[in-house]
Amino acid sequence: MVTAVVGANWGDEGKGKITDMLGEESDIIVRFQGGSNAGHTIVNDYGKFALHILPSGVFYNHTTSIIGNGVALNIPDLFKEIQSIVDRGVPKPKIKVSDRAQIVMPYHILFDEYEEERLAGKSFGSTKSGIAPFYSDKYAKIGIQVSELFDEELLREKVTGICEKKNVLLEHLYHKPLLVVDEVMATLKEYKEMIEPYVCDVSAYLYEARKEGKRVLLEGQLGSLKDPDHGIYPMVTSSSTLAGYGAVGAGIPPYEIKRIVTVVKAYSSAVGAGEFVSEIFGDEADELRKRGGDGGEFGATTGRPRRMGWFDAVASRYGCRVQGATEVALTVLDVLGYLDELPVCVGYEIDGKVTRDFPTTSLLKKAKPVYEVLPGWKTEIRGITEYDKLPENCRKYIEFIEKELEVPVKMVSNGPGRHEIIHR
Ligand code: GDP
C-alpha cells in the first residue's frame, strides 16, 4: 500500500506535519522530487525542526527514510541535516539513497546565484540552492548520478566535458572564475566517501518491500501550483510536485499509489514571485502573517516573509484535481479564529467573465478575485479533538471548502503539534 502526501497550493501547506503524523503508521518514507530548496517544519516530542532534504520519517525508530531517484541530492546538506537532528537527541535514522539520484554540485549553486544576479529585478526569486541548474543538467544529460561516482575514469571524462561547456558561460556570460577538472573531481571523491554506506537500488528495495506488505509513504515538496507542467509556469519549481510523479521519482508502479492525501491550507500563502489572485496586502496581510503557521509565516529555508491571501477555492480545487486527491487534510485552521468574517475566493473574473476554472498563466495575470464572505467563529479551536465540538461557523467554513474542492476533507489540523488533528 502506497500513500502520497502532497500539497494543493503554493507549498507550505503543512505537509511536514501530516507526513510526520502518517509516518507513525508507515514502514518506509520516500522523498521523490525537489531538493533542499524548500523546507518542512515539524514539531514533535524532540522539539521543533526544519527539514530540507531528509524525509519527515527520520524521527521514528521503525521507519526507513529514502531519498528517491527524482530528488536533487545535495550531499553536504544531507549530512549536515542528519548531524543536526542526531545532535538534538534523535536516534540515528535509517537512510537509503537511490543509486540513480543525481547530485547537486557546488557549481549548480553558483550558477543559480549568477543567474539571479544577471536577471536582477526580473529574477524568479530562486532560493539559490542550485535546483534549476541541477534539473537543467539532468535533462541535458550532463548530470552526475550517484552510481557514476564509482567509476573514476568515466567520471573524469564526463567532468572534463562538463567543465568545457560550463566554462564558456562562466567566462563570457557571467564573467566569473572557471571550473577546474581536478577540483570538481576532488569534490566528487569526497561525496563518494560520504554517500557510499547509504547507496541502494531503491526501486528494487521498494519492490521487495511491497511484496512483504510494507507501508510506503511518498512525501511531496511544494504544491500543485509550483508544478512545472500544471502550475503557474514559469514561476514554478524545476521538478514535478504531483503525486503522479511519485511513481517516477521513487521507482514504483503508478497504480500502487492508492491514497493521495492532499494538504490544503485554510488560507493562502506563497513565497517568491508569481500570480496570486487572492493575495492581500497591508495591515490585513501583516496580521495574518504574524498569526499564521507556527510563529508566523516566514519561509523555513529562506526566512523570507510569505505573501498572504484568503482561501482560494479556484486554485485549491484545481490543485486537488491535478494531484488526483483521494482525500484532503485541511490545515492551520486554528489561525483564523480572530477574524469577524472570512472571504473565500470562489471565482476569477477575467475580461468581464467569471470562471471557476483555474486558467493558464497569461490569463491568470488578468484574473480578479470574486469573493463570498463567511462569518467567523471568534474562538480558539486548538485543543478540540472532535469535529462536532468545533464552533458551528467553523464547521460551516470547512463544509463550504469541502463542497468547493469536491474532495472529502478527512482531517482538520488545528495546531502544529503531531496530535493536534481532528479526524472526520
Ligand atoms: P510544508 O512545507 O507543507 O511542510 O509546510 P511548512 O512546514 O513550511 O509550513 C507549515 C507551518 O505551519 C509550520 O510552521 C508548521 O509547524 C505549521 N503548522 C502545520 N499545521 C498547522 C496547524 O494546523 N496549525 C498551526 N497553527 N500551524 C500549523
Side-chain angles (χ1 to χ4, degrees):
M1 164 84 177
V2 182
T3 300
V5 178
V6 286
N9 307 123
W10 297 263
D12 309 319
E13 296 92 349
K15 293 176 297 297
K17 171 191 162 157
I18 303 296
T19 317
D20 182 56
M21 208 187 78
L22 295 177
E24 215 158 359
E25 51 206 64
S26 306
D27 302 301
I28 300 168
I29 304 179
V30 190
R31 279 282 311 266
F32 61 90
Q33 47 88 219
S36 45
N37 51 331
H40 289 309
T41 313
I42 296 168
V43 182
N44 59 28
D45 303 340
Y46 295 104
K48 182 173 173 175
F49 295 86
L51 295 184
H52 305 290
I53 184 137
L54 282 176
S56 309
V58 290
F59 298 104
Y60 295 105
N61 269 322
H62 69 279
T63 57
T64 299
S65 299
I66 291 191
I67 309 283
N69 56 276
V71 171
L73 174 65
N74 182 315
I75 294 177
D77 277 1
L78 176 67
F79 277 75
K80 255 185 258 155
E81 213 158 278
I82 295 173
Q83 198 53 47
S84 74
I85 65 166
V86 170
D87 284 349
R88 287 175 61 192
V90 180
K92 198 159 192 219
K94 291 187 280 289
I95 294 174
K96 292 185 187 298
V97 175
S98 169
D99 53 1
R100 291 178 181 274
Q102 295 200 10
I103 302 165
V104 177
M105 296 297 293
Y107 56 74
H108 289 133
I109 296 161
L110 291 174
F111 271 91
D112 212 346
E113 285 170 13
Y114 298 162
E115 183 63 6
E116 286 282 302
E117 199 180 303
R118 190 181 73 88
L119 292 172
K122 290 186 194 138
S123 80
F124 290 93
S126 161
T127 58
K128 302 190 187 106
S129 325
I131 301 301
F134 164 88
Y135 281 107
S136 308
D137 279 4
K138 175 171 176 175
Y139 294 107
K141 293 168 293 229
I142 53 166
I144 299 171
Q145 212 177 59
V146 166
S147 66
E148 291 175 301
L149 295 174
F150 301 94
D151 186 330
E152 205 182 318
E153 206 177 310
L154 277 179
L155 190 60
R156 178 170 286 274
E157 200 178 301
K158 182 163 192 173
V159 166
T160 306
I162 291 170
C163 290
E164 253 172 47
K165 215 167 156 175
K166 303 254 172 236
N167 282 344
V168 176
L169 289 175
L170 286 171
E171 186 174 351
H172 299 288
L173 184 65
Y174 299 117
H175 314 291
K176 297 285 183 187
L178 304 190
L179 295 178
V180 178
V181 175
D182 282 340
E183 285 172 12
V184 176
M185 285 301 288
T187 302
L188 287 166
K189 187 157 178 274
E190 228 175 273
Y191 286 0
K192 178 186 154 220
E193 278 152 22
M194 291 163 93
I195 207 74
E196 198 161 8
Y198 303 97
V199 179
C200 169
D201 180 345
V202 163
S203 171
Y205 176 84
L206 291 175
Y207 179 71
E208 291 305 323
R210 280 181 293 107
K211 278 205 290 195
E212 290 164 19
K214 293 265 162 64
R215 297 156 302 177
V216 178
L217 190 64
L218 301 176
E219 174 176 359
Q221 181 211 38
L222 294 167
S224 303
L225 305 172
K226 292 283 184 181
D227 183 74
D229 285 80
H230 295 279
I232 50 171
Y233 188 85
M235 296 303 183
V236 293
T237 193
S238 303
S239 67
S240 176
T241 57
L242 303 183
Y245 188 74
V248 179
I252 55 170
Y255 55 76
E256 293 281 354
I257 308 172
K258 298 275 195 297
R259 184 179 176 204
I260 302 176
V261 180
T262 304
V263 185
V264 175
K265 196 160 168 162
Y267 54 90
S268 301
S269 72
V271 204
E275 276 55 52
F276 185 178
V277 177
S278 66
E279 184 167 12
I280 54 174
F281 304 91
D283 293 345
E284 210 176 29
D286 288 342
E287 184 72 28
L288 185 55
R289 185 179 300 110
K290 197 175 79 202
R291 294 170 176 270
D294 178 26
E297 290 282 359
F298 299 91
T301 300
T302 56
R304 284 189 283 188
R306 292 179 181 146
R307 297 161 67 198
M308 308 303 299
W310 301 126
F311 184 81
D312 184 339
V314 177
S316 302
R317 178 173 50 249
Y318 173 79
C320 286
R321 173 162 67 76
V322 294
Q323 289 290 6
T326 58
E327 64 188 89
V328 160
L330 187 67
T331 56
V332 287
L333 190 65
D334 50 303
V335 161
L336 302 178
Y338 74 98
L339 290 161
D340 294 320
E341 32 187 45
L342 295 94
V344 172
C345 175
V346 292
Y348 290 172
E349 192 192 314
I350 301 169
D351 295 332
K353 279 204 201 94
V354 175
T355 177
R356 290 179 82 237
D357 297 325
F358 192 77
T360 53
T361 312
S362 53
L363 291 173
L364 200 55
K365 285 185 200 301
K366 302 197 249 174
K368 292 188 195 71
V370 178
Y371 287 115
E372 197 164 320
V373 178
L374 275 69
W377 47 91
K378 302 291 285 179
T379 42
E380 176 64 80
I381 59 161
R382 274 185 83 169
I384 295 176
T385 53
E386 286 163 61
Y387 187 72
D388 294 340
K389 302 255 162 73
L390 287 172
E392 189 186 356
N393 283 348
C394 182
R395 278 182 278 130
K396 280 191 175 151
Y397 185 71
I398 297 165
E399 286 154 29
F400 184 87
I401 286 176
E402 181 172 55
K403 208 166 113 255
E404 288 289 317
L405 296 179
E406 299 167 15
V407 182
V409 175
K410 294 228 175 129
M411 286 179 253
V412 176
S413 173
N414 58 339
R418 198 179 255 183
H419 299 291
E420 290 181 295
I421 195 94
I422 301 169
H423 292 276
R424 278 176 90 209

